[in-house]
């Protein structure tokens, strides 16, 4: 039987910029809910959620970790996510399957670049969220500034429901504006002992004024509160909570709480807020998908009685259990021994083991229900984004889209013995991480690995050696350039070979045209009258894709192109799929050469924080790197420079910035989009690839 009713289940994620305190907050939650007996510390490498050796050594989260805890008779499934931009895919996949999120802000840093990225991802999936302003004990803590940034930078509608009791070193608790109580942890180091008391006379006036402000802000999105507010009626704590819950679930407002997780203050009210304001699976709209054959809309309600449907959001390789598929169950239930249908791949598989996950520890369970997050062991062909359901009631849920890798590097085994194991290990990493790819350099034949950044590839290399005992050399990271076209053009491909007996004949005409950035590849068949038999059309499409992978200018993949098949011819005896595939490839090459092909480079959104004295040097350096300054701000007495800079110019920037600012400058960077390279840069790239100039400048 289900241990908790679905109305008392919360599936939440903890998300923020790097070093805002996500893992520290999760560790406190696990301690106060009785899951762990001792608080883990990120800096000491003892955090339960940062269980990978690489995470413990670096003090950062690399992979999203799932766990379950219980609070006030509610079951809370938590996913702790990375803050580093190289691992943004972990956040993307988590937000796709969560019902609610806690967004952490640093009380000093406020809204930082990765916070903006996470917020946009949450908007995309319409995930209700609450904001927890952490590190209230730090010098320069300013929740007011953070709230202003929430409004101005993110377009949020924040509602402050707590006031701080003390600031910086003297921070000892919060004033709850909903219940109008003081929650004081005093000097208790563990945070288990705290006093909840009525408002003291010196805090009452400010609390009443701020509560009125909060009610005014709620009334902008809630008619019930508006009526009471206009009539000057008292709004009870229960009515205020209900209005905050309605507004949060509708993504119309964001409750804001305060705390200092490292000092063990503010986590208990945060847990209360998760229960009070974030939705259960039944509070969000039913999940939609489509029937794999009829393509008709299918809907699944968050109920154990609806047909089973689940989404695979993560694959992980366990040294003892093999490949684990993490699933979010949207409807129905699933027992060990049952058979599930993978509607994405049209395959059936039997469920051997179901597991409840707590970071890297697993517990066998017999059944999962709607709203649960669990893992399935030993599924053969499942990949991230697949839908599992009943064969009698099939559905395909929307998959997860991941960003394209932006850097590449050559990789080679150090010995012959490592060669085969390297291929096997890299294949497992690709299965696990959709933003990690392996390819081949068309010019040199060397193996290339693609990732989201230098740290991403560094972690892969570290894991190769530790987990698979494979020693390999990684070349200097290079930018993952792409190619595209600027205008419409027509191309014709003919492949005719006659060698005694049956020959080869394929002939097609295509028109290619550019698409907006991020559109990918589109193929349209506009042939009429059977000039090309239908069975050869997929072969032409395959030939086009193959030609796009190799590119036309410098061997980079071509993106954002529409290809329209308009004409062709065939031979009743000699025509084969292979001949049409080659004809499609030739047609694309001819058309692309006429369509003004250009090279695209990844553009990064950069934020540099430095003292005012060094502003000129930093801006001058960014201009020399082809950077485009987007804005200058002042935050906590420091200058914030926002710019768009090509990734090719940013290798080794950390060392340069330290030199320019005498070690006082910091920066963060994230992928923005692909953009056309200037003509002189494109010339240089092509010359380097053709060997006319040395690879390293």
């Amino acid at each position: 039987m289900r241990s908790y009713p679905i109305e008392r289940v919360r599936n939440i994620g903890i998300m923020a910029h790097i070093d805002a305190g996500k893992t520290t907050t999760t560790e406190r939650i696990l301690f106060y809910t009785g899951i762990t007996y001792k608080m883990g510390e990120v800096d000491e490498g003892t955090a339960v959620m940062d269980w990978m050796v690489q995470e413990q050594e670096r003090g950062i989260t690399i992979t999203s970790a799932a766990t379950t805890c219980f609070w006030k008779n509610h079951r809370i499934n938590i996913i702790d996510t990375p803050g580093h931009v190289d691992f943004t895919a972990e956040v993307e996949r988590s937000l796709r399957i969560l019902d609610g999120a806690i967004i952490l802000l640093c009380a000093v840093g406020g809204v930082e670049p990765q916070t903006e990225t996470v917020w946009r991802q949450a908007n995309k999936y319409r995930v209700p969220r609450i904001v927890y302003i952490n590190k209230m004990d730090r010098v320069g803590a300013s929740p007011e500034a953070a709230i202003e940034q929430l409004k101005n930078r993110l377009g949020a509608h924040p509602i402050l429901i707590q006031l701080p009791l003390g600031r910086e070193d003297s921070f000892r608790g919060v004033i709850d504006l909903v219940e109008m109580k003081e929650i004081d942890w005093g000097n208790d180091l563990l945070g288990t002992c705290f006093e909840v008391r009525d408002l003291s006379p010196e805090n009452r006036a400010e609390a009443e004024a701020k509560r009125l402000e909060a009610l005014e802000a709620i009334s902008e999105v809630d008619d019930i509160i508006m009526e009471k507010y206009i009539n000057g009626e008292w709004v009870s704590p229960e009515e205020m909570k209900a209005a905050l819950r309605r507004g949060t679930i509708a993504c119309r407002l964001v409750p804001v709480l305060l705390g200092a997780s490292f000092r063990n203050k503010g986590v208990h009210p945060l847990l209360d807020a998760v229960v009070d304001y974030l939705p259960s699976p039944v509070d969000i709209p039913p999940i939609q998908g489509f029937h794999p054959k009829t393509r008709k809309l299918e809907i699944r309600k968050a109920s154990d009685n609806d047909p089973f449907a689940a989404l695979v959001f993560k694959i992980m390789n366990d040294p003892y259990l093999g490949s684990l598929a993490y699933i979010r169950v949207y409807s129905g239930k699933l027992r060990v021994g049952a058979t599930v249908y993978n509607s994405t791949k049209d395959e059936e598989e039997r469920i051997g083991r179901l597991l409840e996950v707590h970071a890297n520890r697993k517990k066998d369970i017999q059944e999962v229900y709607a709203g649960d997050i669990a893992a399935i062991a030993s599924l053969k062909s499942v990949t991230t984004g697949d839908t599992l359901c009943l064969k009698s009631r099939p559905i395909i849920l929307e998959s997860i889209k991941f960003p394209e890798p932006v850097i590449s590097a050559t990789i080679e085994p150090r010995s012959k013995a490592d060669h085969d194991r390297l291929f096997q290990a890299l294949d497992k990493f690709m299965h696990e991480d959709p933003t990690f790819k392996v390819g081949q350099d068309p010019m040199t034949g060397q193996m290339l690995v693609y990732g989201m950044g230098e740290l991403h590839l560094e972690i892969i290399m570290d894991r190769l050696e530790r987990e698979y005992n494979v020693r390999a050399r990684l070349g200097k990271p290079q930018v993952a350039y792409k190619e595209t076209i600027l205008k419409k053009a027509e191309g014709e491909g003919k492949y005719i070979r006659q060698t005694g007996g049956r020959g080869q004949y394929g002939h097609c005409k295509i028109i290619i045209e550019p698409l907006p950035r991020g559109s990918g590849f589109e193929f349209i068949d506009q042939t009429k009258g059977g000039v090309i038999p239908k069975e050869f059309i997929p072969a032409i499409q395959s030939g086009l894709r193959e030609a796009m992978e190799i590119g036309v200018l410098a061997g980079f993949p071509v993106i954002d192109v529409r290809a329209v098949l308009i004409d062709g011819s065939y031979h009743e005896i000699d025509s084969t799929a292979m001949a049409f595939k080659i004809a499609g490839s030739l047609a694309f090459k001819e058309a692309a050469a006429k369509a003004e092909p250009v090279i695209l480079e990844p553009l990064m959104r950069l934020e540099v924080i430095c003292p005012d004295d060094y502003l000129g040097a930093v801006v001058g350096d960014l201009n020399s790197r082809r950077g485009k300054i987007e804005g200058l701000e002042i935050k906590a007495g420091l200058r914030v420079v926002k710019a768009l800079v090509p990734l090719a110019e940013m290798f080794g920037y950390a060392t340069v910035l330290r030199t320019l600012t005498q070690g006082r400058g910091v920066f963060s960077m994230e992928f923005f989009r692909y953009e056309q390279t200037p003509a002189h840069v494109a010339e240089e790239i092509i010359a380097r690839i053709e060997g006319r100039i040395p690879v390293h400048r």
Side-chain angles (χ1 to χ4, degrees):
M1 289 289 291
R2 176 190 272 284
S3 54
Y4 282 83
I6 194 167
E7 296 80 12
R8 293 212 298 269
V9 172
R10 301 286 182 272
N11 290 315
I12 64 161
I14 299 186
M15 291 153 193
H17 186 81
I18 192 166
D19 208 27
K22 295 178 296 299
T23 304
T24 300
T25 303
T26 311
E27 293 296 321
R28 279 21 179 200
I29 288 172
L30 295 180
F31 178 73
Y32 295 134
T33 54
I35 299 298
T36 56
Y37 68 92
K38 181 173 176 264
M39 278 186 242
E41 299 296 350
V42 174
D43 295 340
E44 294 169 13
T46 56
V48 173
M49 302 304 277
D50 283 353
W51 54 270
M52 286 173 72
V53 180
Q54 292 83 358
E55 294 178 317
Q56 291 165 359
E57 286 178 352
R58 290 167 175 80
I60 60 169
T61 304
I62 290 166
T63 182
S64 53
T67 189
T68 300
C69 61
F70 306 92
W71 185 255
K72 293 195 171 173
N73 210 18
H74 283 68
R75 177 192 174 108
I76 304 174
N77 298 318
I78 301 173
I79 295 184
D80 175 33
T81 63
H84 199 284
V85 66
D86 283 21
F87 310 107
T88 187
E90 293 289 326
V91 183
E92 186 82 27
R93 64 164 122 222
S94 302
L95 277 166
R96 170 65 181 81
I97 56 94
L98 291 171
D99 302 328
I102 300 170
I103 307 289
L104 259 74
L105 299 184
C106 169
V108 179
V111 174
E112 295 171 280
Q114 193 62 12
T115 318
E116 294 183 40
T117 305
V118 169
W119 198 271
R120 282 197 303 272
Q121 288 170 313
N123 283 342
K124 181 166 83 175
Y125 295 116
R126 285 196 58 75
V127 175
R129 64 217 87 151
I130 57 179
V131 167
Y132 175 64
I133 299 179
N134 192 22
K135 304 192 179 184
M136 284 295 298
D137 56 324
R138 274 186 60 187
V139 176
S142 174
E144 296 82 8
I147 287 167
E148 277 307 306
Q149 288 168 5
L150 279 170
K151 291 177 187 171
N152 301 333
R153 283 204 197 176
L154 304 177
H157 189 62
I159 310 286
L160 186 65
I161 58 171
Q162 290 178 350
L163 292 178
L165 274 176
R167 293 277 175 112
E168 300 176 355
D169 281 351
S170 60
F171 178 74
R172 63 181 198 277
V174 294
I175 297 168
D176 183 346
L177 298 178
V178 179
E179 301 279 357
M180 292 299 272
K181 299 278 185 186
E182 290 179 9
I183 307 170
D184 191 348
W185 279 265
N187 296 317
D188 179 46
L189 293 176
L190 267 183
T192 47
C193 298
F194 55 91
E195 184 188 354
V196 180
R197 56 174 184 252
D198 291 332
L199 292 176
S200 54
E202 63 266 25
N203 291 328
R204 182 168 290 280
E206 187 190 4
E208 285 174 350
K210 290 292 181 184
R211 190 179 202 264
L212 210 58
E213 272 182 38
L215 287 169
E216 184 183 356
I218 296 169
S219 70
E220 291 173 23
V221 296
D222 194 280
D223 294 341
I224 299 169
I225 298 296
M226 180 184 273
E227 195 176 323
K228 291 211 159 203
Y229 178 76
I230 290 170
N231 296 329
E233 295 176 37
W234 165 252
V235 178
S236 70
E238 291 71 29
E239 289 171 322
M240 193 170 173
K241 275 184 188 175
L244 282 165
R245 182 175 179 79
R246 286 193 296 272
T248 305
I249 292 171
C251 293
R252 299 185 71 189
L253 57 81
V254 182
V256 179
L257 298 95
L258 311 173
S261 298
F262 188 66
R263 303 284 173 215
N264 309 320
K265 295 173 173 63
V267 179
H268 298 80
L270 177 63
L271 279 164
D272 290 342
V274 167
V275 167
D276 291 338
Y277 307 129
L278 290 180
S280 71
V282 293
D283 292 321
I284 56 173
I287 193 79
Q288 294 186 352
F290 59 87
H291 193 286
K293 291 191 171 67
T294 64
R295 314 306 278 183
K296 283 184 180 171
L297 180 71
E298 293 274 337
I299 292 173
R300 296 284 184 273
K301 291 177 186 166
S303 162
D304 296 344
N305 300 319
D306 256 38
F308 174 74
L311 184 76
V312 177
F313 68 94
K314 182 178 168 84
I315 301 289
M316 203 182 91
N317 290 302
D318 186 281
Y320 306 107
L321 299 167
S323 181
L324 292 180
Y326 283 66
I327 61 165
R328 159 70 200 263
V329 183
Y330 283 102
S331 62
K333 50 192 174 187
L334 180 68
R335 278 193 71 81
V336 170
T339 301
V340 290
Y341 176 57
N342 182 343
S343 56
T344 313
K345 294 200 168 64
D346 191 22
E347 292 175 356
E348 283 188 280
E349 295 208 46
R350 189 175 172 277
I351 303 299
R353 285 181 82 178
L354 282 170
L355 304 158
E356 184 180 282
V357 182
H358 174 55
N360 64 331
R361 298 206 299 275
K362 322 283 186 301
K363 187 175 90 177
D364 277 289
I365 50 176
Q366 292 305 305
E367 196 164 17
V368 288
Y369 302 88
D372 283 356
I373 291 172
I376 307 175
S378 308
L379 292 182
K380 293 187 188 74
S381 57
V382 168
T383 53
T384 303
D386 285 358
T387 302
L388 302 179
C389 57
L390 298 178
K391 192 161 188 183
S392 57
R393 292 292 303 276
I395 183 173
I396 294 182
L397 303 174
E398 183 192 348
S399 192
I400 310 168
K401 287 183 181 167
F402 295 101
E404 283 291 311
V406 293
I407 72 164
S408 66
T410 57
I411 189 170
E412 53 187 36
R414 293 200 175 191
S415 67
K416 201 171 181 183
D418 288 322
H419 192 270
D420 290 341
R421 285 183 300 157
L422 176 64
F423 274 99
Q424 289 167 8
L426 292 178
D427 189 55
K428 285 182 178 175
F429 286 144
M430 276 199 293
H431 197 51
E432 212 176 90
D433 182 355
T435 59
F436 174 72
K437 293 183 179 170
V438 178
Q440 195 176 38
D441 188 322
M443 312 297 282
T444 63
Q446 286 177 291
M447 193 193 299
L448 294 174
V449 285
Y450 296 86
M452 296 303 295
E454 291 176 85
L455 180 63
H456 189 190
L457 296 184
E458 186 189 313
I459 297 293
I460 294 284
M461 294 302 291
D462 196 359
R463 288 184 63 193
L464 268 176
E465 194 159 339
R466 293 196 202 217
E467 293 174 28
Y468 297 96
N469 198 24
V470 174
R471 295 172 74 242
R473 285 189 200 90
L474 191 71
K476 190 179 175 188
Q478 305 288 326
V479 177
Y481 292 105
K482 308 276 188 197
E483 295 179 19
T484 193
I485 56 171
L486 297 182
K487 68 176 191 181
K488 201 171 179 178
E490 190 175 313
E492 183 176 10
K494 251 185 191 178
Y495 182 72
I496 304 169
R497 287 287 181 278
Q498 199 64 48
T499 54
R502 187 175 173 180
Q504 296 275 351
Y505 184 93
H507 171 222
C508 66
K509 281 186 184 176
I510 62 164
I511 291 174
I512 60 171
E513 54 189 343
L515 289 174
R517 256 340 126 254
S519 303
F521 172 61
E522 278 182 27
F523 176 76
I524 300 168
D525 174 19
Q526 284 187 357
T527 54
K528 289 176 184 166
V531 290
I532 300 172
K534 290 291 177 196
E535 64 265 27
F536 296 133
I537 304 294
I540 294 170
Q541 188 176 352
S542 175
L544 292 171
R545 285 185 182 276
E546 215 167 84
M548 286 174 69
E549 280 300 311
I550 300 165
V552 282
L553 272 180
F556 303 122
V558 180
I559 59 169
D560 303 333
V561 171
R562 178 188 287 127
V564 183
L565 179 63
I566 54 168
D567 201 4
S569 61
Y570 74 102
H571 191 280
E572 285 185 1
I573 297 167
D574 291 351
S575 284
T576 62
M578 180 54 73
F580 273 103
K581 183 177 177 181
I582 296 168
S585 181
L586 294 170
F588 182 82
K589 284 174 186 170
E590 184 185 297
K594 302 178 200 168
E596 282 187 31
V598 291
I599 293 176
L600 301 174
E601 64 182 349
L603 205 61
M604 310 303 283
R605 186 185 268 121
L606 177 75
E607 186 170 288
V608 182
I609 301 174
C610 66
D612 198 31
D613 300 354
Y614 308 106
L615 180 65
V618 168
V619 171
D621 179 67
L622 290 177
N623 286 330
S624 73
R625 294 171 184 271
R626 299 192 281 125
K628 181 183 169 191
I629 308 297
E630 285 202 304
L632 294 169
E633 292 177 11
I634 295 176
K635 186 196 280 186
L638 296 168
R639 285 287 189 160
V640 181
V641 183
K642 293 186 172 186
L644 295 176
V645 192
L647 176 62
E649 306 289 342
M650 293 306 292
F651 289 117
Y653 183 65
T655 309
V656 174
L657 183 65
R658 273 198 298 269
T659 308
L660 288 174
T661 62
Q662 295 182 0
R664 295 170 68 190
V666 292
F667 79 98
S668 56
M669 185 171 70
E670 62 172 342
F671 173 69
F672 178 53
R673 66 168 180 240
Y674 271 91
E675 206 163 82
Q676 186 181 337
T677 53
H680 70 279
V681 178
E683 281 283 325
E684 196 177 311
I685 294 166
I686 294 166
R688 194 157 57 236
I689 283 174
E690 290 175 353
R692 287 186 274 127
I693 62 171
V695 173
H696 303 303
R697 280 192 275 177

